[in-house]
């Protein structure tokens, strides 16, 4: 990052790209998945709009209040699903974070755009406690989501009769005392360490066969949210 304005444009690009992909997911998503993809698209484009540097446009106070109202309504719509799904609970936290940042910016003198990667007067928005809690949450979310996208390593063992991988599932391996589970990768000899394809559980809003892209979008928006909270 070479300056506040540069950071702002990076956040704009990141969130706009994530929002665009979420819109594309709407086409092939099932009924429940369309709501998930639509909510993430709203988050992406909303964050992109909030991150535009003040040198380009300085929104008046009513724009921030409009943001707060839009994301407040979206948060209310997410309350029901959030009780049944941790993924929707994350959506609820994101919507509330958007409401919090919008209100914080509306309450700043002049309703300036300075908190989101722009050169401003140094006024701080929000409260340290709420901002700190959100920072901790999103830092944990970014680390957890990033770990899910990393390649995994697994140790596979060849049994004396030559069986490997899924054929060994549920078998107690000799000399180890362990029960084997399904293994991934090509086994050339006993004890070979192989690279396994990361297992990503598909979600309702991801296109068939590309759940890792949905995770990457959520990771991008999590990083962007961290950047916006840090400069609030």
């Amino acid at each position: 990052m070479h300056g506040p304005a540069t950071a702002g444009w990076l956040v704009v690009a990141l969130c706009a790209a994530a929002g665009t992909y979420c819109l594309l997911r709407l086409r092939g998503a099932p009924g429940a998945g369309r709501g998930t993809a639509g909510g993430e698209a709203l988050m992406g484009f909303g964050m992109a709009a909030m991150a535009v540097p003040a040198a380009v446009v300085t929104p008046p106070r009513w724009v921030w209040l409009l943001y707060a109202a839009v994301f407040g309504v979206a948060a209310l719509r997410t309350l029901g699903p959030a009780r049944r799904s941790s993924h929707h609970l994350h959506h609820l936290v994101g919507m509330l974070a958007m409401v919090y940042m919008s209100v914080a910016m509306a309450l700043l003198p002049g309703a300036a755009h300075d908190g989101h990667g722009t050169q401003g007067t140094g006024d701080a928005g929000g409260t340290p406690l709420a901002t700190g809690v959100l920072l901790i949450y999103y830092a944990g979310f970014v680390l957890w989501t990033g770990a899910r996208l990393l390649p995994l390593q697994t140790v596979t063992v060849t049994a004396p009769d030559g069986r490997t991988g899924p054929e060994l599932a549920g078998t107690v391996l000799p000399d180890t005392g362990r029960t084997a589970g399904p293994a991934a990768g090509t086994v050339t000899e006993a004890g070979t360490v192989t690279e396994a394809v990361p297992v990503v559980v598909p979600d309702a809003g991801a296109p068939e066969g590309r759940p890792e892209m949905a995770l990457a979008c959520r990771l991008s928006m999590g990083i962007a949210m961290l950047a916006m909270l840090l400069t609030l």
Side-chain angles (χ1 to χ4, degrees):
M1 294 188 181
H2 303 290
T6 302
W9 284 120
L10 287 172
V11 172
V12 170
L14 194 63
C15 293
T20 301
Y21 179 73
C22 290
L23 280 182
L24 295 176
R25 286 166 51 199
L26 278 170
R27 294 187 302 174
R34 290 178 66 85
T36 299
E40 291 177 348
L42 175 64
M43 281 286 296
F45 288 120
M47 291 170 66
M50 291 177 69
V52 175
V56 177
V57 58
T58 302
R61 190 182 308 274
W62 68 265
V63 172
W64 296 113
L65 295 176
L66 178 62
Y67 283 154
V70 169
F71 285 102
V73 171
L76 289 176
R77 290 173 58 89
T78 312
L79 277 176
R83 298 173 183 174
R84 303 184 297 270
S85 166
S86 59
H87 180 59
H88 286 95
L89 181 60
H90 172 70
H91 279 186
L92 177 60
V93 173
M95 298 298 180
L96 293 177
M98 294 294 283
V99 172
Y100 167 69
M101 290 191 294
S102 299
V103 171
M105 296 306 298
L107 294 178
L108 283 178
H113 198 141
D114 305 334
H116 296 290
T118 63
Q119 294 179 349
T121 61
D123 294 329
T127 62
L129 178 60
T131 303
V133 169
L134 288 171
L135 281 171
I136 293 172
Y137 172 82
Y138 275 99
F141 175 78
V142 166
L143 292 174
W144 178 73
T145 306
R148 293 180 66 190
L149 288 171
L150 291 176
L152 305 178
Q153 277 195 335
T154 183
V155 177
T156 57
V157 180
T158 304
D161 58 5
R163 291 182 300 155
T164 61
E167 300 173 356
L168 283 175
T171 304
V172 177
L173 299 175
D175 303 324
T176 66
R178 294 183 178 181
T179 301
T186 303
V187 179
T188 56
E189 59 182 354
T192 300
V193 178
T194 60
E195 290 294 329
V197 177
V199 178
V200 180
V201 179
D203 63 90
E208 185 177 358
R210 301 304 301 271
E212 72 283 357
M213 289 297 295
L215 274 181
C217 283
R218 290 165 194 154
L219 175 62
S220 299
M221 288 193 286
I223 293 172
M225 186 69 80
L226 271 177
M228 294 171 73
L229 287 167
L230 284 170
T231 56
L232 184 63

